[in-house]
Amino acid sequence: MIPFLETLKINHPQIRVDNRSILDLHAQDIINSTGISEFDLLLGGPPCQAFSVFGNRKGIKDSRGMMIFEFLRITKDLKPKVFIMENVRGLLSMPFTKESKN
C-alpha cells in the first residue's frame, strides 16, 4: 500500500480509501462506495509535474498532464455543487485543449 494511505488509515480508520487509478474509477464507483449521490464539494489535485516551471513543461503531451481531463470527467459525472482543483501556476500558461496534444 502507498505510505500516505497507510498513515490515513491508521489516523482515520473510519474513512474509506479507494486507491485505484482515476483511469479505472468512475462516478458510479464513488457513489456506490460512499452511498452518497449528491455532492456538495469535490476536491482534487491532478499531477502537476507536466505543468510546473521546474519540470519539462510538456503539458498534456505528458501522460500526467492528461490526468486533468480525468479529474474533469469525474467532476462532470458527479456534478458537485462546487469543485476545487489544485495545481501549479504554470498550468495557466500551457495549451489546455486535447487538440494541442499533437
Side-chain angles (χ1 to χ4, degrees):
M1 181 171 283
I2 303 169
F4 79 86
L5 291 178
E6 291 177 20
T7 302
L8 181 64
K9 282 188 162 197
I10 290 168
N11 291 321
H12 301 281
Q14 75 283 7
I15 294 177
R16 292 185 203 132
V17 175
D18 187 332
N19 64 346
R20 287 182 284 174
S21 167
I22 195 168
L23 296 170
D24 301 323
L25 191 63
H26 300 280
Q28 195 59 51
D29 298 326
I30 297 169
I31 293 167
N32 292 344
S33 69
T34 63
I36 300 169
S37 60
E38 293 184 20
F39 293 83
D40 291 331
L41 172 68
L42 179 64
L43 173 66
C48 64
Q49 297 92 331
F51 305 103
S52 174
V53 296
F54 296 106
N56 293 328
R57 294 192 46 91
K58 292 183 178 180
I60 60 174
K61 293 178 183 174
D62 182 322
S63 61
R64 296 170 296 186
M66 292 297 292
M67 294 300 104
I68 284 180
F69 296 112
E70 296 301 322
F71 177 75
L72 294 175
R73 173 183 58 83
I74 293 289
T75 302
K76 178 183 171 197
D77 293 346
L78 286 178
K79 297 177 179 60
K81 293 177 183 172
V82 175
F83 78 92
I84 298 172
M85 185 185 86
E86 182 272 338
N87 211 285
V88 294
R89 185 178 206 156
L91 175 67
L92 297 174
S93 61
M94 295 294 297
F96 193 26
T97 62
K98 288 186 179 183
E99 291 76 32
S100 63
K101 183 177 179 182
N102 296 327

